[in-house]
Amino acid sequence: MPLRSSRIRGFVTLVILLLIPLSGPVWSVDLPGFVRGEANGDQGVDISDAITILQYLFGVSNELPCLDAGDANDDGAIDLGDAIGTLNLVFGGGPAQLPPPFGQCGTDPTPDNLGCLIPSCSFGPIVDERPFTLETGRSGLPYRGDLPTFRQEGVTWSIGPQQGIVREEISFDEYGLLLDSTLPGDLTLDPVTGAVTGTSLAPGIHHFEIWGRAGGEEVSLIHCTIPWLSEDESQWISGQDLSGPGPYPVSSLNSSFNFTHQLPWPPPYPLYVCSTQQPPDTEHLESKAMRIYMPAGLNAPAPLLIFHHGSGFDWADYSNLLEHLASHGVICVSVNDPFPYFPYTDWYCWGGHDEAARVLLEVRGIISQLEANPAHPLSGMIDWNRLFYSGHSRGGGTAMAACEFDPDVRGVIMLQGTDARRDSWIGHTSRWKRLPDIPVLSVTAEQDTDVTYPFSERILERFTGPSTTVTIYGGCHGFTSDASEIGCSSCLWQETAPEVDSCTYITRDLQQKLTRHWVLAFLRRYAFDDLSTGGLLYGDEEQRSSYFSVNSRSNLSSPLVIADFDNFPLSNLSLPIVSSNMLLFESGSCYDWPFPLPQPIDSISNLVFILSPNGVSSIGIPFGSPTSPIDIGPRKRLLLRLKNHDIHLALDNLGYPYNATLSLTDANGRSAEINLRDYLPGEEFHPEPAPPLTQVRLKYQRFITVAIPVTSFLEVEPLLDFSSLTGMTVQFVTDGSASEDIRIGLDDIRFE
């Protein structure tokens, strides 16, 4: 039951009161349903319903208005048992109620082939809708996906007490399928918890719709997607170059609109590096330019990406990226929104993310109006199930903030994005403890001197949906744009401080090429339901790259998490993690520069350790005992995140100044040891430095996700029993040649 084509989406202008309500969609639609036992559809269960069932069974009547309603015992058939069950209910000879839906209008939680030709009731209203990507399934793995547990009752800013954003979360108390719909394969829905479980689906992308009811009345419509891989993951295709132009010619349409910004006082949440004086105005009217990049020759509705530039950047300075995406069939919209960097620089901290997010929502509403105009080139050309927010720098943080205000979005792309939780210049809030549960691509730059690397590490810890973080080696902040040098030091890279961490050492062309490649890979996956880029986004295709580091959380169903170090020194199996010959062994963040101020920064629960400078150091992570081992079942790989430590703007170790092995042991005492270095990047120097004759030794100081096939251990010990593993040991060997402490970060050890 697709509703987006008939929905009315309106984004309202905000008025500064004690509470500022944020914009949202307007609804006037109910869902059709039935009440079990109401066989004749007269809005009540009585003896006449039993008579209607008997007349149907004995041929007096040719049909029931709603077969599902007549199936009083919910056994998937209409028979005498339904008439008897109805009579027992009416005369008190049986249970006091029938199976759901009973007592209020709903749909069948156990779908069958009966159907409901004439619904007897409706329920709702639908108050919001959103797309949602459930966990990825893989043949051979037991499947469980979990639907959102709550809906958001609007968003407000509390002005007086500096409480900041207020998001009332109303828990769903019931879930259901749309009338006469079924789940794909053998999946089943738990109507109370929202868990979707099963074992078997055909490989591919599966779509279906679920409703969630909160408070007994208001309904959210959830457009669900389940990606499903074959056991051999053959849907993943490696070696694709996605940086080149697509098949569609691109034209641009320019437009503008007026927007009223708010300058509330006092600010709605604690801010830093912000004027203590009241702004000269309470609001500011500004004309916003807007450019639409249109693929020519589309024959069906296309995805839409709304893009916000960085502060201090020219809004029209992203054509290289946006024209590229449009040439591949994505309608892109870029908006000019310098407020409040201009003209209210002293109050930049107030509007950096939230006011900009309001602008993105306004653009969404304007594009919706244009698409509804039969005379406009956008008429009927947008698929609102495939909407993405994106941005650079402040615009990246803005894209994420917009999802807080309205989660009806397919995914977010952050390019060197700021952190609305701990950005001292644009806002410092209690928000973003847990980021929205949507697919995210975050692209950062290693030598960025504006939005520095702690941002990406902190945000990575708080992603809750499928996510990929890419750090482009040698890149800088401004090279994402077409001309700006902001956050790009023009010095010549060399192995001295501070040049080692601050000097850009690749070209703008290379950074833009790599950015185009990753952004299109993400959009191919989520805008075009293309599973082929999964190995790039979530597999091991680029884990040894010398161009970028890749961190990913694939959201694959049924992972076996060994240690995420949230409860260090215990693992997720509640067993103690041990070490030998370490100079440091603790949970924390693996960098030494707590930028940006102010303190305190958010804690990060990596395992941080310093190796002995000359000798053997080891980490032991028990899985169980010989009498109580773990069984990894059909899981195919062992994954972990690893990085070298970084002392920012100081000389540190480059490359991997150690050898390392990783071994698994089973309950029979058998052990298999692999060379961990075989799964780490092997190149010592960057393959395309700038200037060309420069030799740049790679630091490898950003986290990478390391995937090790379990078959690698069988090549060493064919009898290793994965159904009875007892532990894992990582051993590091150093030779005394390192110039600095060898400090390493480790996180998120799991089998998938």
Side-chain angles (χ1 to χ4, degrees):
M1 181 181 177
L3 297 178
R4 294 182 187 275
S5 60
S6 61
R7 67 184 289 182
I8 302 172
R9 173 175 290 278
F11 292 99
V12 299
T13 301
L14 306 191
V15 178
I16 295 291
L17 298 171
L18 177 63
L19 292 178
I20 308 177
L22 287 173
S23 52
V26 179
W27 297 94
S28 58
V29 180
D30 288 349
L31 287 175
F34 67 93
V35 174
R36 195 171 301 280
E38 289 184 0
N40 59 11
D42 67 354
Q43 308 300 309
V45 180
D46 52 34
I47 191 173
S48 65
D49 295 295
I51 293 172
T52 299
I53 294 171
L54 292 171
Q55 289 176 334
Y56 174 77
L57 290 173
F58 292 104
V60 177
S61 173
N62 291 329
E63 62 181 34
L64 290 175
C66 178
L67 291 174
D68 272 325
D71 183 17
N73 57 13
D74 193 22
D75 65 355
I78 304 295
D79 51 31
L80 283 175
D82 298 306
I84 294 170
T86 303
L87 291 171
N88 284 337
L89 175 74
V90 172
F91 294 107
Q97 61 181 24
L98 300 177
F102 182 75
Q104 64 176 344
C105 190
T107 58
D108 195 345
T110 56
D112 47 44
N113 294 320
L114 292 178
C116 187
L117 183 64
I118 303 176
S120 62
C121 59
S122 63
F123 61 102
I126 299 174
V127 293
D128 57 28
E129 65 176 316
R130 59 163 297 189
F132 185 72
T133 301
L134 284 102
E135 285 79 354
T136 298
R138 188 177 69 212
S139 296
L141 273 177
Y143 182 80
R144 177 183 171 123
D146 291 291
L147 293 166
T149 58
F150 63 88
R151 73 172 182 83
Q152 189 175 302
E153 180 64 17
V155 180
T156 57
W157 291 323
S158 178
I159 299 301
Q162 294 196 345
Q163 292 177 349
I165 197 167
V166 178
R167 304 176 62 196
E168 183 181 358
E169 296 177 355
I170 301 179
S171 297
F172 291 125
D173 45 40
E174 184 183 5
Y175 299 86
L177 294 168
L178 299 187
L179 196 65
D180 290 347
S181 66
T182 59
L183 291 173
D186 67 350
L187 297 182
T188 60
L189 169 68
D190 186 318
V192 177
T193 67
V196 178
T197 56
T199 58
S200 179
L201 274 182
I205 302 287
H206 300 271
H207 299 282
F208 55 92
E209 292 174 313
I210 298 286
W211 55 261
R213 181 154 45 189
E217 294 184 1
E218 295 178 329
V219 169
S220 296
L221 187 60
I222 306 169
H223 302 268
C224 299
T225 299
I226 291 183
W228 200 276
L229 300 170
S230 59
E231 188 172 0
D232 62 3
E233 297 173 340
S234 59
Q235 292 73 32
W236 291 355
I237 300 175
S238 61
Q240 300 182 71
D241 181 0
L242 305 176
S243 62
Y248 296 98
V250 178
S251 60
S252 61
L253 305 172
N254 294 322
S255 184
S256 64
F257 60 94
N258 291 329
F259 188 86
T260 300
H261 284 288
Q262 311 294 347
L263 281 166
W265 190 261
Y269 42 67
L271 300 170
Y272 296 84
V273 197
C274 190
S275 174
T276 58
Q277 302 298 314
Q278 185 169 348
D281 305 300
T282 59
E283 60 182 33
H284 175 74
L285 178 64
E286 196 167 77
S287 177
K288 307 285 187 186
M290 185 173 67
R291 179 169 297 163
I292 304 170
Y293 296 84
M294 281 287 296
L298 292 174
N299 55 17
L304 172 67
L305 181 141
I306 302 177
F307 187 89
H308 195 293
H309 60 90
S311 291
F313 287 82
D314 187 335
W315 72 284
D317 206 14
Y318 298 90
S319 294
N320 183 284
L321 174 63
L322 299 181
E323 287 183 0
H324 173 72
L325 300 180
S327 77
H328 286 271
V330 180
I331 298 171
C332 298
V333 181
S334 180
V335 60
N336 184 25
D337 177 35
F339 179 91
Y341 191 71
F342 301 111
Y344 296 105
T345 307
D346 288 344
W347 290 274
Y348 178 40
C349 49
W350 151 244
H353 293 116
D354 293 334
E355 278 295 282
R358 287 184 55 224
V359 171
L360 288 187
L361 298 183
E362 184 72 10
V363 170
R364 176 176 182 162
I366 291 170
I367 295 298
S368 179
Q369 295 171 16
L370 295 177
E371 194 231 5
N373 180 359
H376 196 275
L378 282 176
S379 176
M381 295 311 300
I382 295 174
D383 181 350
W384 290 102
N385 275 322
R386 296 186 286 164
L387 170 71
F388 297 81
Y389 291 133
S390 181
H392 176 223
S393 190
R394 172 180 71 126
T398 291
M400 186 62 74
C403 297
E404 287 185 290
F405 301 157
D406 183 6
D408 187 8
V409 61
R410 190 78 169 88
V412 165
I413 300 168
M414 305 173 70
L415 306 178
Q416 293 87 58
T418 48
D419 182 354
R421 180 167 170 77
R422 289 292 183 263
D423 187 316
S424 58
W425 290 94
I426 314 177
H428 186 81
T429 82
S430 60
R431 292 157 54 192
W432 283 28
K433 292 180 181 178
R434 185 176 186 272
L435 291 171
D437 51 3
I438 55 176
V440 176
L441 171 68
S442 174
V443 179
T444 67
E446 181 190 39
Q447 305 297 89
D448 191 334
T449 59
D450 189 2
V451 179
T452 56
Y453 65 91
F455 283 110
S456 60
E457 288 195 14
R458 294 176 199 168
I459 292 176
L460 176 67
E461 288 284 305
R462 305 199 299 275
F463 287 146
T464 57
S467 56
T468 302
T469 298
V470 178
T471 299
I472 297 174
Y473 295 145
C476 66
H477 198 66
F479 279 6
T480 292
S481 72
D482 294 344
S484 175
E485 301 285 337
I486 295 175
C488 298
S489 297
S490 58
C491 51
L492 181 65
W493 187 93
Q494 52 188 320
E495 289 185 30
T496 57
E499 290 83 2
V500 68
D501 284 330
S502 60
C503 297
T504 303
Y505 60 81
I506 64 171
T507 64
R508 185 188 302 270
D509 285 346
L510 179 57
Q511 181 166 329
Q512 290 193 334
K513 175 183 177 180
L514 297 176
T515 300
R516 294 195 305 268
H517 176 72
W518 280 100
V519 172
L520 185 57
F522 181 81
L523 289 172
R524 284 267 297 270
R525 171 62 189 80
Y526 291 102
F528 296 103
D529 284 350
D530 182 355
L531 286 173
S532 72
T533 62
L536 181 67
L537 293 167
Y538 307 117
D540 60 0
E541 181 176 340
E542 293 290 0
Q543 76 181 35
R544 304 195 73 214
S545 173
S546 52
Y547 286 94
F548 35 68
S549 68
V550 184
N551 260 296
S552 63
R553 291 179 179 170
S554 67
N555 223 26
L556 184 70
S557 178
S558 302
L560 177 55
V561 180
I562 301 299
D564 60 14
F565 305 103
D566 286 350
N567 297 308
F568 183 82
L570 298 181
S571 70
N572 290 61
L573 305 174
S574 299
L575 296 171
I577 301 169
V578 298
S579 68
S580 68
N581 205 22
M582 295 285 187
L583 303 185
L584 177 73
F585 196 68
E586 63 183 31
S587 178
S589 56
C590 196
Y591 50 80
D592 266 359
W593 186 33
F595 181 89
L597 296 174
Q599 297 281 10
I601 63 171
D602 287 331
S603 61
I604 295 179
S605 57
N606 312 142
L607 176 63
V608 183
F609 51 95
I610 299 178
L611 305 180
S612 169
N614 191 358
V616 178
S617 306
S618 65
I619 300 171
I621 303 179
F623 298 166
S625 66
T627 58
S628 182
I630 65 167
D631 180 358
I632 70 168
R635 296 170 181 87
K636 298 170 61 71
R637 57 181 69 91
L638 171 66
L639 297 103
L640 52 89
R641 293 198 296 128
L642 191 72
K643 67 167 286 188
N644 285 332
H645 180 252
D646 189 0
I647 304 175
H648 194 69
L649 299 180
L651 194 61
D652 204 350
N653 295 304
L654 306 184
Y656 295 103
Y658 55 80
N659 288 313
T661 60
L662 189 153
S663 61
L664 297 178
T665 303
D666 67 19
N668 297 308
R670 290 183 288 257
S671 181
E673 180 181 270
I674 56 96
N675 185 351
L676 185 58
R677 287 289 302 273
D678 289 343
Y679 300 89
L680 302 178
E683 294 291 334
E684 183 178 3
F685 298 99
H686 195 282
E688 293 188 54
L693 298 181
T694 308
Q695 274 203 324
V696 178
R697 280 209 300 157
L698 291 163
K699 296 179 286 186
Y700 297 121
Q701 291 173 348
R702 303 294 178 263
F703 270 115
I704 64 171
T705 296
V706 180
I708 304 170
V710 296
T711 53
S712 298
F713 296 95
L714 293 177
E715 292 171 3
V716 177
E717 173 49 81
L719 298 180
L720 186 69
D721 186 357
F722 288 112
S723 68
S724 63
L725 292 180
T726 57
M728 161 182 156
T729 301
V730 186
Q731 191 172 86
F732 300 88
V733 180
T734 55
D735 61 7
S737 62
S739 60
E740 306 290 338
D741 285 343
I742 305 175
R743 187 175 304 199
I744 299 171
L746 178 66
D747 207 356
D748 293 336
I749 302 171
R750 64 196 186 276
F751 287 97
E752 288 187 350

